[in-house]
Structures are given as C-alpha cells and as structure tokens.
Amino acid sequence: MANKVEVKELLDAGVHFGHLTRRWNPNMAPYIYMERNGIHIINLYKSAAKMQEAGEALAKIAASGRKILFVATKKQAKEIVAEQAEKANMPYITERWPGGMLTNFVTIRKAVKKMASIDRMKKDGTFNSLSKKERLQVDRLRAKLEKNLGSISDMSRLPAALFVVDTTREHIAIKEAQKLNIPIFAMVDTNSDPREVDYLIPSNDDASKSISKVVSYVADAIVEGLSERKSDKPSKKKEDKASKEEGFEDKAPKAKKENAEVPSNDAEDKKAMKEAKKDVKLESKTETLEKAKSSNEEE
C-alpha cells in the first residue's frame, strides 16, 4: 500500500502551478481548479488521489518482478529522475530517446551487447593489441553507448510500464509504448493531453521541486513493492517446505495394528505350519471324483 499524499506538501513544492491559460489543453479541464494571473491552477486534491493510485499500481508491478522504465530528457528533470530510478533499481533514459527503443528493442539490445564486448576486450587484453587510432575509436564508441544506453544495460526485456515526465516532450516514447500496449504513468501538465496516458498525475512538470516531489513518491512506492516481493519469497519457501514435509508424512508406511498376527520366526513353529498346510491341502478335481465313485460302489 502506497503512503498517503499530503496536499500541503504538494502545495509547498509548487505542484499546483500549470501553464499559461492560452497554452492549455481543454482535456485537462477536469483537473484545473481555477485561473490566476493568466495561469491555470491544478486541483491538488485530484493530484494527491491520482498520485496514490499510480503509486499502488507501480508497487504491484514492482512486486511482480518486472521493470519500470523512467523517461525524462528535460534539463531540470534529468538528475532527479536518474537519482530516484537508481534508488528504486530501475532503468531510465535521461539523454536523447533512442528511436525504436521499444518497438525495435532487439537492435537496442545488440548495442548494449556491443558495450559489453568492448569491456571484455579490455579485460582479456585484446584491446591493447589494437593500434592507437583503433583504441581511440573504440573508446569513443564505448563512451557514446554508455551515455545513451548505460542506464538500461540490465534491462533484458521490454519494461512492464513507463513513467514519463512531460508527455509533450516525450511524445515518441509515448507513441512506442502505445503501439506495444505498455501502460504509461506520467506527470501531465495543463498543456498536455491526458488521454494518451493510462495513469496520469496532474502536476507541474517544469519546476524541479515539483518533479522531485512526485518522482520521489513514485520511487518510494516501487521500493515498497520490491521489499514486499523479497519478504514474500522466504514465506513461500517455508510453505513449500511444510507442504513437502506433510506429503512425506502421508507417504510414510502406516504402523501395523497391534492385534494383527505376526508370523513366528521359531523353527518348530515353521515346521508345524508346513504340516498343517499339507493337511488342509485342497484335492484336485479328479481326486474328488474318484473318491465319490469308490464310495458309491461300496454302497
């Protein structure tokens, strides 16, 4: 369960400041409280409710073990998003969005593998056998890949969700996620279209304080989801162990009844049993018929 959002904290962080009224998107009307000095003011009670809803959904995704990709390429959001995403142990894009990052994920993975192969070259000594010019080119390529894709090097498959700061700026990422039906969580300002997003948080996406407040809350919700996943694992192991032990007990041979007769191991008893069996041995059909004939003849 995500922590409760305090409206006063959102107010102090300036989450309520929207864009100029002339730059608004009419679809954001339900989330606008009022207009002041030509600027739209966002309804913080709705922002708080939406933040809590998004936090709970993200915690569930994190608890399932899937990755959530953070996307924020604007200057004032880069460092904040990188720091919070690392805290939550999630991948992030804070430089230029690589075209086809989601829709052409196989090619992106090849570029990440290229980075790993350069690292192996440096470890096994192959890198030193190259000429000075070639070493310089490889180093430049490695630095470029690290800058653009270093933060997603551990992402071996498509993310389960996207968290975006400023949907207008990150429209390519939004389009790619929509094409692949990946759920989108986003900070949506008064100049953006909320219909493009599955879980929107109406908020100021330009001020660093506002971005920090929302992203830190989201990261904390993800961390909470991950901690739930870790705590669930040992309990599941204990349950499995207990069920196995119960199954073993069921399969164990049942004790023989106390009243049941146990065959004697004594030699004399065994001999007596053999003789008794001979006496009670059943006759064959022919023997029985012959005895019957002989008795009839005698009569």
Side-chain angles (χ1 to χ4, degrees), residues 149-201:
L149 306 172
S151 59
I152 60 158
S153 55
D154 296 331
M155 197 171 77
S156 56
R157 57 177 178 168
L158 285 168
L162 239 67
F163 182 85
V164 180
V165 177
D166 196 343
T167 56
T168 306
R169 186 184 177 92
E170 314 302 342
H171 64 279
I172 300 170
I174 298 286
K175 288 283 183 287
E176 287 190 29
Q178 285 172 342
K179 195 172 275 189
L180 297 170
N181 294 320
I182 295 171
I184 304 161
F185 296 75
M187 289 178 69
V188 183
D189 212 329
T190 55
N191 67 329
S192 303
D193 189 352
R195 295 174 301 174
E196 295 178 343
V197 178
D198 299 292
Y199 293 86
L200 78 147
I201 301 170

Side-chain angles (χ1 to χ4, degrees), residues 2 47-61 163 184-186 199-201 214 217-218 221-222:
S47 297
K50 288 290 183 182
M51 270 176 80
Q52 202 157 346
E53 186 187 330
E56 286 171 7
L58 287 167
K60 282 179 185 175
I61 292 169
F163 182 85
I184 304 161
F185 296 75
Y199 293 86
L200 78 147
I201 301 170
V214 176
Y217 176 83
V218 165
I222 292 168

Side-chain angles (χ1 to χ4, degrees), residues 12-15 76 80 204 206-214 216:
D12 294 338
V15 175
Q76 57 270 49
I80 297 163
N204 177 1
D206 293 312
S208 55
K209 266 190 178 182
S210 174
I211 294 165
S212 179
K213 183 67 191 169
V214 176
S216 63

Side-chain angles (χ1 to χ4, degrees), residues 6-278:
E6 293 293 334
V7 174
K8 192 180 181 302
E9 289 177 11
L10 299 180
L11 187 70
D12 294 338
V15 175
H16 60 295
F17 290 117
H19 274 271
L20 293 167
T21 51
R22 58 189 167 85
R23 291 181 61 194
W24 81 310
N25 189 310
N27 293 303
M28 279 298 287
Y31 307 102
I32 294 169
Y33 176 65
M34 63 180 292
E35 178 197 329
R36 182 177 287 174
N37 300 328
I39 293 171
H40 276 132
I41 304 297
I42 295 164
N43 188 333
L44 289 181
Y45 287 98
K46 289 191 177 182
S47 297
K50 288 290 183 182
M51 270 176 80
Q52 202 157 346
E53 186 187 330
E56 286 171 7
L58 287 167
K60 282 179 185 175
I61 292 169
S64 71
R66 299 292 301 277
K67 294 287 185 184
I68 297 148
L69 179 64
F70 283 74
V71 184
T73 59
K74 65 193 325 179
K75 198 176 180 182
Q76 57 270 49
K78 279 184 183 182
E79 288 181 15
I80 297 163
V81 169
E83 184 187 336
Q84 295 299 328
E86 281 174 8
K87 183 179 85 174
N89 195 26
M90 291 292 164
Y92 58 91
I93 297 287
T94 53
E95 296 301 322
R96 182 184 66 85
W97 173 264
M101 166 76 204
L102 301 175
T103 51
N104 196 12
F105 188 67
V106 176
T107 307
I108 298 295
R109 281 300 302 163
K110 281 179 185 175
V112 173
K113 284 177 183 175
K114 178 72 176 173
M115 195 164 60
S117 69
I118 292 168
D119 291 338
R120 280 198 299 274
M121 280 171 64
K122 288 185 176 182
K123 280 182 183 177
D124 62 21
T126 315
F127 182 75
N128 296 325
S129 64
L130 300 172
S131 66
K132 190 177 178 181
K133 188 180 178 181
E134 284 172 332
R135 285 203 301 270
L136 191 64
Q137 285 173 340
V138 170
D139 275 335
R140 280 177 184 166
L141 176 63
R142 176 70 178 77
K144 188 181 177 182
L145 290 170
E146 178 63 40
K147 186 181 178 183
N148 294 325
L149 306 172
S151 59
I152 60 158
S153 55
D154 296 331
M155 197 171 77
S156 56
R157 57 177 178 168
L158 285 168
L162 239 67
F163 182 85
V164 180
V165 177
D166 196 343
T167 56
T168 306
R169 186 184 177 92
E170 314 302 342
H171 64 279
I172 300 170
I174 298 286
K175 288 283 183 287
E176 287 190 29
Q178 285 172 342
K179 195 172 275 189
L180 297 170
N181 294 320
I182 295 171
I184 304 161
F185 296 75
M187 289 178 69
V188 183
D189 212 329
T190 55
N191 67 329
S192 303
D193 189 352
R195 295 174 301 174
E196 295 178 343
V197 178
D198 299 292
Y199 293 86
L200 78 147
I201 301 170
S203 52
N204 177 1
D205 62 12
D206 293 312
S208 55
K209 266 190 178 182
S210 174
I211 294 165
S212 179
K213 183 67 191 169
V214 176
V215 176
S216 63
Y217 176 83
V218 165
D220 289 342
I222 292 168
V223 170
E224 195 180 321
L226 290 170
S227 63
E228 277 178 26
R229 178 178 169 78
K230 284 177 184 175
S231 63
D232 284 347
K233 277 185 178 178
S235 63
K236 277 184 183 177
K237 282 181 182 177
K238 282 179 184 176
E239 283 172 14
D240 292 343
K241 195 177 180 183
S243 63
K244 279 180 184 176
E245 285 173 1
E246 282 173 16
F248 180 75
E249 283 172 10
D250 292 340
K251 287 176 186 175
K254 291 179 181 177
K256 290 181 180 177
K257 289 180 182 178
E258 289 179 5
N259 299 330
E261 290 183 4
V262 181
S264 175
N265 292 323
D266 189 49
E268 288 182 6
D269 288 345
K270 283 182 179 179
K271 193 177 180 183
M273 284 292 290
K274 276 185 182 178
E275 287 173 1
K277 281 179 182 176
K278 281 179 184 176

